Amino acid sequence: MSREVLDRYREAIERKVEAEKALIDCRARVAIIEKEIELSGKASDTPSKSSTEQFIDANRDKLEPGDIEFLSERHRGAKEVVRYSEISESSLKRMADDGTLEIRRTDSGHRRYRTLSVVRYLIERRSAANEGND
C-alpha cells in the first residue's frame, strides 16, 4: 500500500472514531435529560445542565467513549463499577469507606456508587499515570 492510501485510511478511521464518540455523547445527554424530565415530572424547553453534563463539558478532552456511556446513569452497583473500572470490589468498598468514591445506600444497605465520582477518580488516575510516563 502506498503512503497516501495509508494516510487516507488513517484519516477515515479517525473520523469514524470521532463520529462514534459524538454519538455516544448524544445518547448519554438524551438519557440524562430524559431522566431529569422523568424526575421533575414536567418537560422544560431549556433544561438546565446537570452536574454530570457540566462535568462532561469541562472534561471532554479527558473522557473516553465508555466514560460518557457509564455516566448515563447517576448511580451504579458494585458489579457494574468493577466491570467498567477494573477496580476490585474490595478496593471499591475501601474507597467508599474512606470517602474517595461517593455512594448512597439502598434500603437494604447495599452500596450504589455515584458514577460521576468513579469517572472523576479514573481521570485523575489516568492523568497521574500519564505524568509518570513523561
Side-chain angles (χ1 to χ4, degrees):
M1 283 188 163
S2 72
R3 181 74 179 159
E4 182 180 315
V5 172
L6 288 173
D7 288 342
R8 284 189 294 175
Y9 184 71
R10 182 181 304 110
E11 288 173 13
I13 289 174
E14 290 171 351
R15 283 194 305 267
K16 180 182 177 193
V17 167
E18 288 302 317
E20 289 173 349
K21 285 181 182 179
L23 179 61
I24 291 170
D25 186 26
C26 287
R27 286 181 180 158
R29 284 179 181 243
V30 167
I32 291 166
I33 291 169
E34 287 174 346
K35 188 57 105 175
E36 287 176 342
I37 290 170
E38 177 186 318
L39 293 174
S40 71
K42 59 184 176 189
S44 170
D45 292 338
T46 55
S48 62
K49 287 190 174 185
S50 68
S51 58
T52 302
E53 289 177 310
Q54 291 171 7
F55 177 81
I56 290 171
D57 288 344
N59 296 283
R60 185 166 309 283
D61 59 325
K62 300 172 190 167
L63 295 172
E64 296 177 2
D67 297 334
I68 295 172
E69 191 170 338
F70 184 76
L71 287 166
S72 66
E73 296 286 330
R74 188 176 172 122
H75 291 89
R76 304 260 183 171
K79 288 189 184 352
E80 290 176 286
V81 176
V82 167
R83 272 193 307 272
Y84 163 72
S85 67
E86 297 180 354
I87 298 172
S88 71
E89 197 164 343
S90 61
S91 293
L92 285 177
K93 289 178 183 177
R94 200 170 29 259
M95 293 166 74
D97 292 342
D98 71 16
T100 303
L101 297 178
E102 297 173 42
I103 63 163
R104 71 171 173 81
R105 294 230 180 228
T106 63
D107 292 338
S108 58
H110 295 283
R111 291 176 182 88
R112 298 283 291 163
Y113 295 85
R114 183 156 191 237
T115 56
L116 194 56
S117 75
V118 173
V119 173
R120 186 177 289 127
Y121 169 78
L122 292 174
I123 287 174
E124 289 169 3
R125 190 171 77 175
R126 286 180 206 144
S127 295
N130 288 339
E131 288 175 9
N133 293 333
D134 290 341

